[in-house]
Amino acid sequence: MSIHRAKYLIAAAALSVATLLLAGTTAAAVSQETCTGHWLPSPSDPPPGVLGQSAEKAAESLRDDGYDCKVVNDKPADVDEQTVVVAAQNTRTENDPDGGTTSLVHLSLGVAMPDLVGKTLRLAGQTVTRLGLAVRTSPSDGAADWIVRLQRPGAGDYVVFERAVTLILEKPVQPVLVPVPDLIERTEDEAAALVKDAGLKYKERILKDGQQPGRVVSQQPQPGELVERTTTVTADVRRVPAPPPTTVVPTPPLPPPVVVRTVVPDLVGRLESTAKQAVGVARLKFQSRVVRPGSAPGIVLNQRPRAGSEVDVGTVVAVDVTRAPKPKLVPVPDLLNRSEDEARGAVEGVELIFDLIGGRDASGRDRQVISQQPRAGELVPTGATVTVEFAADESNWPSWLVPLLLGTAVLAAGTISRIRHRPGRDPKPKPVPQIHVAERLTLGIPQLHESGPAHRIRINARLERGRQSLQEKSDEHQ
Amino acid sequence: MNTSSSHQITIASHFNQTSPDTSAELKGLITRSKVLERAPHLGPVAWLVSAPVTHALTATFDRDLGEPILWAWRTHRELQEAANATVAGAGSPEYVTLAKHEISSIHHPEVDVTVDQQPPVTLTFDLTLLFTLESLRLTVQGGLLVGLSPGACSAEVTLGAHGFDFKRSATYALQELVKLHTGLRLLPASAYAAQPV
């Protein structure tokens, strides 16, 4: 080795160490000063590949193999230091001052290409620009929402700063949207079929017990919403209440038989209360129905299942019981102007009791009813008393005769008066005897003859507050 | 949708769609149903009491149709909590969102009919109100319901008795049925003792 070559080696090593110390690990140290640019002895092996490495690491690797290096471009100001790598390397052989040759590796800084396929041009362009690269698209007039179908360089390849990246674009295909079917209140099977028919995916979520068990109470997405095919539709289904747990009798070494059957007691002829008690003792359920009136209310007429039959515990025993006899209501007959015998017959004919005011007439003459209580047509229970009153004995004339006679008398008096005041041929009036007529009109008893019965009706209506319930279609607020 | 807001919407008027008399159609429905003739114990005097009973029954239906909505909301947990949280002071309001929900209100209006001296006969009817409300936002402040997001409310009212029933449906703007005025109480009156409304 010549003295010059030895000097070069020493100087290069010292400068490299100094550079590394200054640079540390900060990205700010990445510059053209990374490599010495000084002459090194020309190695016999080709330089190592340093693509993808940071500039510092690349310089170190090259130096270890006897190569000097030089960074030939700058990092754009707004590019993140952490992303900067050696994107290209180029070895050049040059003559050194000592008369020999030396190899210098040119390092180009750049970045590793991200995967842009599938992204929109808007997003891919922003990404590439942030990395200090240029964008070239094909076709060149692609819209921002077009999709990157292909990229050059490919994902993971290294690209030198300010080089152009080519993005092959394609127009996005509009997704086929389908409306979400309405699953509310459908059964699980119906809901699943509807979702499948719509080309969507069905997913079920079981909720707590509640009304409408086994049916869909809410869904996501909502009915009618337009979604892409194969979207999953989640249906919330109320759980069907589990059957009541069966009592399990613990099994001792010698287990007694588990009582699940019982014998139906004989209930016919018993009072309803005692029948219900007997049914309870037999661990059965009691159900009664009032069917018809009987001599005594609440007597069991029949039963089902029959007495003595063996049934499962908890079976319903249905019985028919009597109710209290209902009073029979009959209308009171119209007795006015009827004779006593007619009135009595009419009253007793409808199972009512006939009573009269003043007792029977001893003369035996035919009397007529002038009032009755209750009034005609009124509904009264059988056995009720109907009280009647007859006209006095003197008034045996027909009721129409008195007004007729009075009218005749008044007419006659008027005729006499007109005859008396008729103008005569003699201008001198003859003396007329003074006649005083004392007229007296006694007030008769007004009679109201009704064609039918009158009723007094009282009405009282009320509306209570009632019961309210609120059920949300979705559980998100419960 | 019925958007008239100038008049009060009552249960009786809900049944009315043509006549200016709000209860006329309801009376007609009851009369044509012959429910009173079918009612037990009235029997031969049913035709006499038909008009008074119909009049009395429709009079009881002169109640705000939307009242049960507020009663049901008062049972809702989130609304109760919001009301309790805000009743103490005049702080900022709280908002409660309700998903699409149904409110049912079941009543049994009764009419006692006394004819002459006979024991009174009680006619019991079944009145069911079913409201379907879209999702909405309620504003609660000072323990009061003070705001409602706009929305539609469909109401279906069914009246029945003794084997007949008829129903009528209509859709209203929620603000027609629930009138806020200066705020509606969501808590018992005692909760507002220190905060007179």
Side-chain angles (χ1 to χ4, degrees), chain B residues 70-91:
Chain B
L70 181 64
W71 295 338
W73 282 346
R74 282 176 178 160
T75 67
H76 197 277
R77 191 184 62 197
E78 271 73 18
L79 279 169
Q80 283 183 335
E81 289 177 356
N84 278 314
T86 60
V87 71

Side-chain angles (χ1 to χ4, degrees), chain A residues 185 326 329 375 378-379 453-474 476-478, chain B residues 48-49 52-53 56 60 63 71 73 76-78 97 99-116:
Chain A
E185 297 184 0
K326 183 182 175 184
L329 296 177
R375 287 174 290 189
E378 195 166 316
L379 292 172
H455 298 287
R456 181 183 172 206
I457 300 168
R458 283 161 289 166
I459 307 289
N460 176 31
R462 56 192 171 274
L463 175 64
E464 91 291 3
R465 176 171 163 166
R467 291 178 286 109
Q468 288 76 40
S469 68
L470 187 153
Q471 183 176 8
E472 291 182 87
K473 293 292 185 184
S474 167
E476 59 185 301
H477 299 295
Q478 289 190 355
Chain B
L48 287 172
V49 302
V53 167
T60 66
R63 301 265 294 267
W71 295 338
W73 282 346
H76 197 277
R77 191 184 62 197
E78 271 73 18
T97 61
K100 180 180 180 182
H101 58 289
E102 284 184 353
I103 290 173
S104 60
S105 189
I106 299 172
H107 308 259
H108 298 288
E110 292 180 332
V111 181
D112 293 334
V113 182
T114 308
V115 179
D116 299 329

Side-chain angles (χ1 to χ4, degrees), chain A residues 258-422:
Chain A
V258 178
V259 179
V260 292
R261 304 280 286 178
T262 186
V263 177
V264 178
D266 187 4
L267 308 174
V268 175
R270 293 193 189 187
L271 278 173
E272 184 179 6
S273 57
T274 56
K276 187 175 183 180
Q277 192 175 8
V279 168
V281 169
R283 300 172 65 188
L284 299 170
K285 291 179 181 173
F286 184 75
Q287 188 179 64
S288 66
R289 184 179 61 168
V290 177
V291 289
R292 64 168 182 263
S295 57
I299 302 296
V300 175
L301 294 170
N302 53 48
Q303 68 178 91
R304 194 173 54 252
R306 291 181 179 178
S309 58
E310 188 176 307
V311 296
D312 290 339
V313 168
T315 300
V316 174
V317 178
V319 301
D320 293 338
V321 298
T322 59
R323 61 174 165 81
K326 183 182 175 184
K328 180 183 176 184
L329 296 177
V330 293
V332 176
D334 188 1
L335 308 175
L336 292 178
N337 298 325
R338 290 194 181 188
S339 67
E340 180 180 341
D341 290 337
E342 289 175 343
R344 180 183 298 278
V347 169
E348 293 178 350
V350 292
E351 298 179 40
L352 299 175
I353 296 172
F354 182 78
D355 189 21
L356 54 84
I357 295 176
R360 175 177 283 275
D361 183 17
S363 67
R365 286 183 296 183
D366 194 15
R367 300 185 300 170
Q368 291 188 319
V369 175
I370 59 169
S371 70
Q372 68 175 87
Q373 185 65 32
R375 287 174 290 189
E378 195 166 316
L379 292 172
V380 296
T382 54
T385 299
V386 178
T387 305
V388 300
E389 186 178 5
F390 288 90
D393 294 344
E394 296 76 21
S395 58
N396 204 18
W397 294 349
S399 57
W400 51 268
L401 190 56
V402 173
L404 178 65
L405 289 176
L406 281 173
T408 307
V410 170
L411 185 64
T415 304
I416 291 169
S417 176
R418 279 198 299 275
I419 293 171
R420 196 171 57 207
H421 290 89
R422 184 178 295 169

Side-chain angles (χ1 to χ4, degrees), chain A residues 158-181:
Chain A
Y158 303 109
V159 190
V160 177
F161 285 130
E162 297 178 356
R163 295 270 176 85
V165 174
T166 302
L167 303 176
I168 312 298
L169 304 175
E170 64 181 0
K171 194 173 181 179
V173 178
Q174 292 297 332
V176 178
L177 299 179
V178 293
V180 176

